[in-house]
mmCIF file of all heavy atoms in Angstrom:
data_model
loop_
_atom_site.group_PDB
_atom_site.id
_atom_site.type_symbol
_atom_site.label_atom_id
_atom_site.label_comp_id
_atom_site.label_asym_id
_atom_site.label_seq_id
_atom_site.Cartn_x
_atom_site.Cartn_y
_atom_site.Cartn_z
ATOM 1 N N VAL A 119 116.213 101.450 106.798
ATOM 2 C CA VAL A 119 116.689 102.705 107.364
ATOM 3 C C VAL A 119 116.317 102.735 108.850
ATOM 4 O O VAL A 119 115.135 102.677 109.187
ATOM 5 C CB VAL A 119 116.054 103.913 106.657
ATOM 6 C CG1 VAL A 119 116.492 105.216 107.307
ATOM 7 C CG2 VAL A 119 116.416 103.911 105.179
ATOM 8 N N PRO A 120 117.295 102.804 109.756
ATOM 9 C CA PRO A 120 116.966 102.829 111.175
ATOM 10 C C PRO A 120 116.376 104.173 111.584
ATOM 11 O O PRO A 120 116.656 105.207 110.963
ATOM 12 C CB PRO A 120 118.314 102.577 111.867
ATOM 13 C CG PRO A 120 119.337 103.018 110.882
ATOM 14 C CD PRO A 120 118.754 102.781 109.517
ATOM 15 N N ALA A 121 115.573 104.163 112.634
ATOM 16 C CA ALA A 121 114.882 105.380 113.064
ATOM 17 C C ALA A 121 115.853 106.495 113.408
ATOM 18 O O ALA A 121 115.603 107.661 113.103
ATOM 19 C CB ALA A 121 113.983 105.063 114.264
ATOM 20 N N PHE A 122 116.982 106.158 114.041
ATOM 21 C CA PHE A 122 117.903 107.223 114.441
ATOM 22 C C PHE A 122 118.484 107.925 113.219
ATOM 23 O O PHE A 122 118.679 109.143 113.226
ATOM 24 C CB PHE A 122 119.011 106.684 115.363
ATOM 25 C CG PHE A 122 120.140 105.995 114.666
ATOM 26 C CD1 PHE A 122 121.260 106.709 114.255
ATOM 27 C CD2 PHE A 122 120.100 104.634 114.428
ATOM 28 C CE1 PHE A 122 122.308 106.086 113.614
ATOM 29 C CE2 PHE A 122 121.150 103.994 113.792
ATOM 30 C CZ PHE A 122 122.258 104.720 113.378
ATOM 31 N N ALA A 123 118.748 107.183 112.139
ATOM 32 C CA ALA A 123 119.288 107.784 110.924
ATOM 33 C C ALA A 123 118.230 108.633 110.227
ATOM 34 O O ALA A 123 118.521 109.726 109.723
ATOM 35 C CB ALA A 123 119.807 106.696 109.991
ATOM 36 N N ALA A 124 116.995 108.135 110.187
ATOM 37 C CA ALA A 124 115.917 108.898 109.552
ATOM 38 C C ALA A 124 115.628 110.170 110.337
ATOM 39 O O ALA A 124 115.350 111.222 109.751
ATOM 40 C CB ALA A 124 114.661 108.039 109.463
ATOM 41 N N ALA A 125 115.686 110.085 111.662
ATOM 42 C CA ALA A 125 115.440 111.264 112.489
ATOM 43 C C ALA A 125 116.528 112.309 112.271
ATOM 44 O O ALA A 125 116.243 113.508 112.115
ATOM 45 C CB ALA A 125 115.378 110.864 113.959
ATOM 46 N N ALA A 126 117.788 111.875 112.253
ATOM 47 C CA ALA A 126 118.888 112.811 112.025
ATOM 48 C C ALA A 126 118.755 113.479 110.660
ATOM 49 O O ALA A 126 119.011 114.678 110.509
ATOM 50 C CB ALA A 126 120.219 112.086 112.145
ATOM 51 N N ALA A 127 118.335 112.719 109.660
ATOM 52 C CA ALA A 127 118.155 113.283 108.320
ATOM 53 C C ALA A 127 117.044 114.320 108.312
ATOM 54 O O ALA A 127 117.178 115.397 107.711
ATOM 55 C CB ALA A 127 117.850 112.167 107.329
ATOM 56 N N ALA A 128 115.936 113.992 108.957
ATOM 57 C CA ALA A 128 114.818 114.930 109.001
ATOM 58 C C ALA A 128 115.191 116.216 109.724
ATOM 59 O O ALA A 128 114.701 117.299 109.390
ATOM 60 C CB ALA A 128 113.615 114.272 109.677
ATOM 61 N N LEU A 129 116.083 116.106 110.699
ATOM 62 C CA LEU A 129 116.524 117.263 111.460
ATOM 63 C C LEU A 129 117.635 118.035 110.763
ATOM 64 O O LEU A 129 117.992 119.140 111.179
ATOM 65 C CB LEU A 129 117.032 116.812 112.843
ATOM 66 C CG LEU A 129 115.974 116.313 113.823
ATOM 67 C CD1 LEU A 129 116.632 115.499 114.933
ATOM 68 C CD2 LEU A 129 115.204 117.492 114.423
ATOM 69 N N GLY A 130 118.204 117.445 109.710
ATOM 70 C CA GLY A 130 119.364 118.045 109.074
ATOM 71 C C GLY A 130 120.545 118.064 110.016
ATOM 72 O O GLY A 130 121.295 119.044 110.087
ATOM 73 N N GLN A 131 120.722 116.962 110.734
ATOM 74 C CA GLN A 131 121.636 116.913 111.868
ATOM 75 C C GLN A 131 122.710 115.846 111.676
ATOM 76 O O GLN A 131 122.401 114.702 111.327
ATOM 77 C CB GLN A 131 120.827 116.559 113.131
ATOM 78 C CG GLN A 131 121.619 116.416 114.402
ATOM 79 C CD GLN A 131 121.864 117.743 115.069
ATOM 80 O OE1 GLN A 131 120.938 118.533 115.240
ATOM 81 N NE2 GLN A 131 123.100 117.995 115.432
#
Side-chain angles (χ1 to χ4, degrees):
V119 177
F122 80 90
L129 290 162
Q131 178 84 48

